[in-house]
Amino acid sequence: QVQLVESGGGLVQPGGSLRLSCAASGFTFSSVWMYWVRQTPGKGLEWVSGINYTGYGTLYADSVQGRFTISRDNAKNTLYLQMNSLKSEDTAVYYCAARKNYIRSAVKDDYTYWGQGTQVTVSS
């Protein structure tokens, strides 16, 4: 049974930091690209970041470049998103997703596996 389980969300003040995790099981984690996609209130899904099989290739949306860092630990089957300098506009449900190849998409059906999401709220 395939599972992607996100954790680490919560309430944080503007300028603060959070680290999201995504624990994967039921498939060969090291054989897929991994992604973070977020859904903001009233704005739909937004592609945030992607990381290749080894973790040495990473890409970011312009809106998070320089503030967010994606990483993975293939030995632990876990994906991470370190979020720094958080802004109110980062408030969203953050989903991790998996796909064999690279894609830059905000369409859920473009991904092979999709998690249940974790809420991040940035507010004072």
Side-chain angles (χ1 to χ4, degrees), residues 28-95:
T28 305
F29 182 74
S30 59
S31 298
V32 297
W33 278 72
M34 293 297 298
Y35 300 89
W36 289 100
V37 181
R38 67 187 181 186
Q39 182 156 25
T40 54
K43 291 182 65 177
L45 289 170
E46 178 186 15
W47 184 92
V48 174
S49 183
I51 187 167
N52 73 351
Y53 316 107
T54 64
Y56 289 108
T58 59
L59 300 104
Y60 299 93
D62 289 345
S63 58
V64 306
Q65 179 77 51
R67 300 187 298 120
F68 290 10
T69 302
I70 190 172
S71 62
R72 66 192 296 165
D73 186 335
N74 287 345
K76 295 182 178 179
N77 288 354
T78 303
L79 174 73
Y80 303 100
L81 186 68
Q82 177 66 43
M83 305 186 295
N84 299 328
S85 302
L86 282 161
K87 306 175 181 179
S88 58
E89 51 262 46
D90 295 318
T91 295
V93 177
Y94 284 73
Y95 298 93

Side-chain angles (χ1 to χ4, degrees), residues 3-7 21-25 36 78-79 96 114-117:
Q3 282 193 307
L4 291 174
V5 180
E6 299 95 334
S7 61
S21 299
C22 172
S25 60
W36 289 100
T78 303
L79 174 73
C96 69
W114 188 270
Q116 88 289 347

